[in-house]
């Protein structure tokens, strides 16, 4: 199955970002069952990044055309797996460089028999650079590491450059969902997203960012935040026509 386009290389190919992943990628030693999943299932579900040209996300899921959603930094995979179960007609691409999180998602994929999930265990910017314009119907970045120290702000995955790339790959009318429990990062996210001219903030009242929408499955990070007395914030944006 071919997943790259036949288009000739462009200047974009020469300017693709170099791999850059902050923090650890391997946690505690994996249980044998999850190690097996990494060895046996991940190769079949991995997203192959083309050396040149663009990646065709539709081709990752077979010949039938379907909407493609993208989650960057899926953590333990519970949100992505819940969305995949609720929307079998959608193809979901999850990006997570942390090996333990990838193994957790693979266990959910196997337990629930999910055939509409694909995984990139690498830097999300590499995937964004390879995706064609207007190819993603919905995107999620939920509870990313806030990197609270000022000298580490450059490591935040939600920034003006990443949002510009996300706006490029989102189709008109596509939705971007962001969440955090860190007040400083919330201000950072909102400032960066409002500065992106191709995105419209969908909030009309305070409850629109203080309450998680019903079709937005909870994550372990939200539960941890609530247990610690922190209020999660939920932002929804729409890609302009």
């Amino acid at each position: 199955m071919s997943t790259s386009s036949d288009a000739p290389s462009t200047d974009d190919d020469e300017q693709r970002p170099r791999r850059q992943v902050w923090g650890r990628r391997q946690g505690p030693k994996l249980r044998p069952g999850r190690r097996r999943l990494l060895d046996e299932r991940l190769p079949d579900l991995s997203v192959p990044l083309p050396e040149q040209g663009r990646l065709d996300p539709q081709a990752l899921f077979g010949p039938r055309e379907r909407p493609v959603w993208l989650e960057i930094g899926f953590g333990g995979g519970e949100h992505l797996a819940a969305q995949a179960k609720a929307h079998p007609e959608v193809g979901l691409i999850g990006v997570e460089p942390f090996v333990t999180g990838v193994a957790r998602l693979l266990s959910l994929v196997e337990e629930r028999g999910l055939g509409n999930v694909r995984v990139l265990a690498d830097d999300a910017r590499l995937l964004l650079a390879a995706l064609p314009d207007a190819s993603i119907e919905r995107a999620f970045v939920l509870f990313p590491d806030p990197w609270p120290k000022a000298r580490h702000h450059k490591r935040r995955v939600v920034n003006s450059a990443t949002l510009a790339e996300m706006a490029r790959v989102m189709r008109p009318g596509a939705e971007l969902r962001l969440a955090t429990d860190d007040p400083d990062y919330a201000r950072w996210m909102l400032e960066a997203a409002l500065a992106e001219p191709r995105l419209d903030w969908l909030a009309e009242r305070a409850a629109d960012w203080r309450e998680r929408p019903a079709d937005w499955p909870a994550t372990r990070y939200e539960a941890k935040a609530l247990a610690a007395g922190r209020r999660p914030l939920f932002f929804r944006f729409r890609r302009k026509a």
Side-chain angles (χ1 to χ4, degrees), residues 17-81:
R18 295 180 179 179
R19 179 176 289 102
Q20 185 171 280
V21 177
W22 304 104
R24 61 179 183 170
R25 297 189 65 180
Q26 178 72 57
K29 186 177 180 180
L30 294 172
R31 298 197 297 267
R34 289 187 174 174
R35 172 53 62 186
R36 176 188 60 80
L37 288 172
L38 285 174
D39 294 339
E40 297 179 4
R41 295 287 284 139
L42 184 57
D44 293 334
L45 301 182
S46 288
V47 176
L49 296 177
E51 294 183 4
Q52 294 183 346
R54 296 292 189 188
L55 172 74
D56 178 5
Q58 293 283 343
L60 296 170
F61 301 96
R64 181 172 66 86
E65 185 172 349
R66 65 173 74 202
V68 177
W69 295 1
L70 170 66
E71 182 168 351
I72 293 177
F74 57 73
E78 59 269 16
H79 172 271
L80 192 150

Side-chain angles (χ1 to χ4, degrees), residues 120-198:
L120 179 69
D122 211 327
D123 184 347
R125 299 178 311 141
L126 302 177
L127 176 62
L128 288 173
L131 287 171
D133 295 356
S135 57
I136 298 297
E137 293 278 1
R138 184 172 292 185
F140 310 88
V141 188
L142 309 181
F143 300 97
D145 192 324
W147 293 106
K149 295 182 179 179
R151 68 176 184 273
H152 291 157
H153 284 181
K154 63 182 179 181
R155 302 182 181 182
R156 290 175 168 176
V157 68
V158 178
N159 56 52
S160 57
T162 303
L163 289 173
E165 274 292 85
M166 295 183 78
R168 178 185 67 78
V169 305
M170 291 168 63
R171 291 184 174 179
E175 187 174 320
L176 169 64
R177 296 184 174 187
L178 308 175
T180 183
D181 61 296
D182 183 275
D184 178 67
Y185 202 2
R187 288 189 291 270
W188 170 286
M189 282 181 170
L190 195 54
E191 181 178 346
L194 292 176
E196 171 48 59
R198 292 165 289 185

